[in-house]
Amino acid sequence: MTKRILVAVDGSENSYRAAEEAIQLADCHKGHLVDIVTVANIHDAKDDILRVGAAGLELERRKKTQPVEERCEEEGVAYEVNILHGEPALEILRHAKETDADFIVVGTQGKSPFKEMLVGSVSKQVIKKAECSVVLVK
């Protein structure tokens, strides 16, 4: 079975830093595949579909993962892309469990302490509930 390093990418600078860390981990742990995951948040999906249409939405999501795909190719690291749909933290955790990921790599969002207290963050939920090691990248 292929060993996996799941990295959550949402197009933010923090997620791209997390992807760089995942690529370095894969380079150190030969034979690991970088599983590039982006999640179409169900709360934003309706507005996004109205704005760009279903086909445009898929293209937008692939644009978020493209820089990471290019870095993997530059470094000679095996990868695959998975676009998931639902609540980001829950989908990341579900996918990690289903694919038996060895690591989950996520970036912080840098929300204010007040906002984080009210809504929580994807990275905080992943850290709390993951069944594998989690690498948090600032």
Side-chain angles (χ1 to χ4, degrees):
M1 177 173 250
T2 303
K3 295 184 178 196
R4 291 180 173 268
I5 300 170
L6 186 156
V7 61
V9 176
D10 63 6
S12 69
E13 285 303 313
N14 285 332
S15 72
Y16 291 137
R17 280 194 291 280
E20 284 295 326
E21 189 69 27
I23 292 166
Q24 288 179 9
L25 277 169
D27 196 39
C28 291
H29 296 87
K30 298 294 180 197
H32 276 68
L33 171 119
V34 174
D35 188 353
I36 306 165
V37 171
T38 189
V39 181
N41 190 330
I42 58 173
H43 298 296
D44 302 331
K46 286 181 185 175
D47 292 336
D48 290 343
I49 288 173
L50 290 173
R51 186 171 48 80
V52 296
L57 191 57
E58 188 73 16
L59 183 61
E60 271 190 7
R61 295 201 172 103
R62 283 306 296 236
K63 284 181 183 177
K64 290 178 183 179
T65 64
Q66 187 176 7
V68 182
E69 293 175 62
E70 290 171 358
R71 286 291 298 134
C72 286
E73 288 174 11
E74 287 172 12
E75 297 298 322
V77 171
Y79 70 93
E80 68 180 40
V81 176
N82 286 287
I83 299 174
L84 310 175
H85 300 85
E87 292 285 344
L90 296 177
E91 288 304 310
I92 290 166
L93 291 163
R94 180 192 58 74
H95 186 73
K97 187 173 184 171
E98 283 180 2
T99 61
D100 200 25
D102 296 291
F103 299 98
I104 300 173
V105 184
V106 292
T108 61
Q109 285 302 106
K111 292 180 181 173
S112 71
F114 181 70
K115 278 186 180 178
E116 194 163 307
M117 204 170 51
L118 288 176
V119 289
S121 68
V122 171
S123 55
K124 184 187 273 185
Q125 290 177 54
V126 169
I127 290 167
K128 281 179 137 178
K129 297 178 181 175
E131 295 180 13
C132 62
S133 297
V134 178
V135 178
L136 181 63
V137 179
K138 275 181 113 173

